[in-house]
Amino acid sequence: MSTGPFAFFPMIFGHEAVGVVESVEEHVEEFQEGDMVVPVFRPNCRECRDCKSQKGNGCSIFGGELVPAMPRDKTSRFKGMNGETLYHFLSVSSFSEYTVVDVVNVVKISPEFPVDKACLLSCGISTGIGAAWKVADIEEGSTVAIFGLGTVGLAVAEGARLRGASKIIGVDLNQEKIEIGKQFGVTKFINPTTCGEKKISEVIKEKTDGGADYCFECIGLASLMEDAFNSSRVNWGKTVILGLEMHRTPLPVNTSLLLRGRSVTGCLFGGLKPKSDIPFLAQKYLHKELNLDGFITHEVGFGDINKAFDLLLEGKSLRCIIRMD
C-alpha cells in the first residue's frame, strides 16, 4: 500500500512554475502584490540553524517531512467543485491557474528576468547546476561522468562546463542525447549497450586515466549509483547521488574503496538555498553566462498537458513549457 505525501488523492500536481503574487495574507512582509515569484519544493525560512548554516540546504523548521498540505497548520487551501478537499503537492501545486504557497516555499525574481524562462529555475535545472557547483564544487580541469542525460544530468554538464571541466562524459541509453549533450558541454557520450563485455566503469576509467574526479547519478537506480561510484577515481573520486531510487533498493558500497579516499553523497535541490541561490542563477542567465534556453524543447497549452507527459516518457522532451492561458 502506498504511503507518504504522494498517496493522497485527489491532488493538484506540478512543482516547477513561475507566477505573479495575487494577494498576501496578514504578517507577510517579504512579498507584495505584483511580485514575480518562483515556487520551490525545498523550504528556506532563513531563520533556523540549518538555513543559517553553509553546510547544507535543509530547513529544520519546515523541511522535516513532505506533507500534502500547508506546512504550518497541515491543512489544505484547495476545494473541489463539490466541496471535497484537494491535496497539495510538494508545497507548490502549480498545475492550476491559482495556487497558495507558504513564504518559505517561494522566491522573488527580478522583473528583468523573462517570465517564460523563470519556471526553469524552480527545480530540475537548479538541482543539476547546484550539484556541480555547491555539492561537488568542481574545479577547472576536472573529469566528470554523468549517468543519465535528462534535464538534471544536462544541467550538471552545464555546471561542469562553466567550471572548466576538461572532460564531461555523458552516459545514456538514448542515442539522441549525443547532439543534445554537446549543447551543454558533454565531450564524450557512452551508450552502455555498446560497451560489449566491458563494464561501464572500466570504460570510464580508461577515458579518464583511472576514474572520473566527479560522478553524478541522475536516474534513480541503485545499480547505476554503484556504477557511478565504481567509475570514480581512487583516492579522491566523489560520487553525487541526485536520483530518487525508484525501487528503494539499498546502495551496495565496497567499504575498502571508501578507506582509499572515494566518497559518496546525496543532495536535494543541488544543495542550493532557494532564497539566495535562485536569484544568483537568474543573474547568471541575464549576464548570458548560463544556458537555460536550450532546455526548452516544447511548449503547449494547459489543455494539452497529456501531450507534454507523452513527450517526456518518450524521451523527446527536456522541458516543456505549459502555458495556463
Side-chain angles (χ1 to χ4, degrees):
M1 182 178 179
S2 179
T3 59
F6 309 113
F8 293 81
F9 293 97
M11 175 180 281
I12 300 177
F13 288 110
H15 76 291
E16 289 187 309
V18 62
V20 175
V21 175
E22 188 267 342
S23 62
V24 296
E25 291 190 4
E26 188 179 0
H27 306 304
V28 174
E29 299 178 352
E30 184 178 350
F31 304 96
Q32 61 184 8
E33 293 180 18
D35 285 342
M36 183 167 75
V37 294
V38 168
V40 288
F41 79 94
R42 197 67 166 153
N44 188 188
C45 75
R46 295 192 289 190
E47 298 177 356
C48 70
R49 179 183 177 186
D50 287 82
C51 283
K52 290 180 178 180
S53 172
Q54 295 303 309
K55 296 180 179 180
N57 69 339
C59 177
S60 49
I61 296 179
F62 299 101
E65 60 178 333
L66 294 173
V67 294
M70 297 297 288
R72 297 175 193 263
D73 60 11
K74 306 299 187 292
T75 62
S76 175
R77 294 296 187 272
F78 303 127
K79 295 290 184 181
M81 292 176 61
N82 299 317
E84 71 274 23
T85 296
L86 304 180
Y87 294 98
H88 296 236
F89 179 68
L90 294 180
S91 301
V92 176
S93 291
S94 58
F95 290 164
S96 174
E97 291 181 285
Y98 292 88
T99 189
V100 184
V101 183
D102 193 282
V103 292
V104 300
N105 291 101
V106 69
V107 178
K108 187 184 299 185
I109 296 292
S110 167
E112 299 175 10
F113 199 91
V115 66
D116 58 335
K117 307 292 193 311
C119 60
L120 299 173
L121 299 175
S122 198
C123 183
I125 296 172
S126 296
T127 294
I129 294 172
W133 288 359
K134 299 200 73 171
V135 181
D137 195 15
I138 294 172
E139 310 96 344
E140 185 175 358
S142 299
T143 56
V144 175
I146 305 167
F147 289 73
L149 294 181
T151 295
V152 174
L154 291 171
V156 171
E158 174 72 358
R161 178 186 70 82
L162 292 171
R163 279 293 180 91
S166 61
K167 290 183 180 179
I168 303 174
I169 300 173
V171 181
D172 204 290
L173 296 174
N174 186 347
Q175 287 291 133
E176 294 181 6
K177 295 298 176 71
I178 295 177
E179 295 303 319
I180 296 174
K182 291 178 181 178
Q183 300 177 32
F184 300 96
V186 174
T187 59
K188 179 66 178 179
F189 177 86
I190 301 176
N191 185 331
T193 63
T194 64
C195 295
E197 296 182 358
K198 284 187 177 181
K199 295 180 179 179
I200 186 67
S201 58
E202 295 173 346
V203 176
I204 290 176
K205 286 178 181 177
E206 290 176 357
K207 297 184 180 301
T208 56
D209 189 24
D213 298 316
Y214 300 99
C215 292
F216 298 83
E217 199 281 343
C218 307
I219 298 294
L221 286 172
S223 59
L224 287 181
M225 296 173 188
E226 185 178 9
D227 285 339
F229 178 76
N230 291 332
S231 301
S232 65
R233 187 176 182 82
V234 175
N235 296 326
W236 64 71
K238 186 172 186 177
T239 300
V240 182
I241 306 299
L242 290 86
L244 177 63
E245 219 297 323
M246 58 187 75
H247 305 298
R248 299 187 179 180
T249 304
L251 171 62
V253 174
N254 186 332
T255 54
S256 65
L257 297 178
L258 292 175
L259 292 174
R260 296 186 62 187
R262 289 178 179 174
S263 63
V264 58
T265 188
C267 66
L268 280 175
F269 201 60
L272 299 180
K273 292 184 180 297
K275 299 282 189 180
S276 56
D277 289 328
I278 287 182
F280 174 75
L281 293 180
Q283 286 301 310
K284 285 289 185 182
Y285 174 79
L286 289 175
H287 294 158
K288 302 187 184 304
E289 298 175 36
L290 183 63
N291 176 13
L292 289 181
D293 298 40
F295 287 97
I296 302 175
T297 53
H298 300 82
E299 294 190 22
V300 299
F302 187 67
D304 292 320
I305 189 171
N306 287 338
K307 178 181 178 181
F309 281 112
D310 290 339
L311 290 167
L312 186 65
L313 292 172
E314 293 167 3
K316 298 179 180 179
S317 173
L318 292 178
R319 280 296 179 262
C320 180
I321 304 297
I322 299 174
R323 298 186 179 278
M324 298 307 299
D325 55 2

